[in-house]
Amino acid sequence: MARNRFPKSERLVSDKLEDMLFATGRSQSATAYPLRAVWLLRTADEAPRVQLLVSAPKKRLHHAVDRNRAKRQIREAWRLNSQALRNAIPQGRQLLMALIWMSPKPMPTQLVFAKTTALLEQIRTRQENQGNNTAAAGTAAGGNAAPTTTPTTAQTTTLTTKPTPAQTTTPTPAQTTTPI
């Protein structure tokens, strides 16, 4: 059984990496209220595969107790659910990620866990899809890709519907105009 940990080496604390995550315009984002995830997959040799930034802004949660609780909930949900995402990151790549609290009020722990899990799964599937698309583009350029076919009009079916009585209206006497 793998140990679920969140060591200090996986915490995103470098200003340079934070600027790279938020300022370059190459990052992606997803939202599962009350959380928003922003991430960037980059090339890195010696760095940890994933680095995480957890943020609960004072603009959203005004009391320090609420901000600390929100960050604790996010870190715990990350610790328990991040292994699949860590395994999906290819060798020689690093995922920089920020989980940002968006709600103006505290939320139950179970909801935060569910939303964090949903975000991590969404990020993992997006990264896998991008990896497949990149691999497909590489093989297409090399000429080793299998030919793809697009459906013709005979293969696709269209659904025609009749208008409902609510969609077909007859003009009322007030709507009709008479010539003068």
Side-chain angles (χ1 to χ4, degrees), residues 89-145:
I89 305 301
Q91 191 69 24
R93 304 284 285 184
Q94 181 185 32
L95 181 71
L96 303 177
M97 185 167 64
L99 290 174
I100 304 164
W101 188 268
M102 300 298 292
S103 174
K105 60 182 180 177
M107 295 286 182
T109 301
Q110 293 298 346
L111 177 70
V112 174
F113 272 42
K115 298 300 183 166
T116 304
T117 304
L119 275 174
L120 295 177
E121 182 62 28
Q122 186 176 3
I123 293 168
R124 187 180 64 79
T125 56
R126 279 197 195 175
Q127 292 304 320
E128 286 176 354
N129 290 342
Q130 283 183 349
N132 293 340
N133 291 343
T134 306
T139 56
N144 294 333

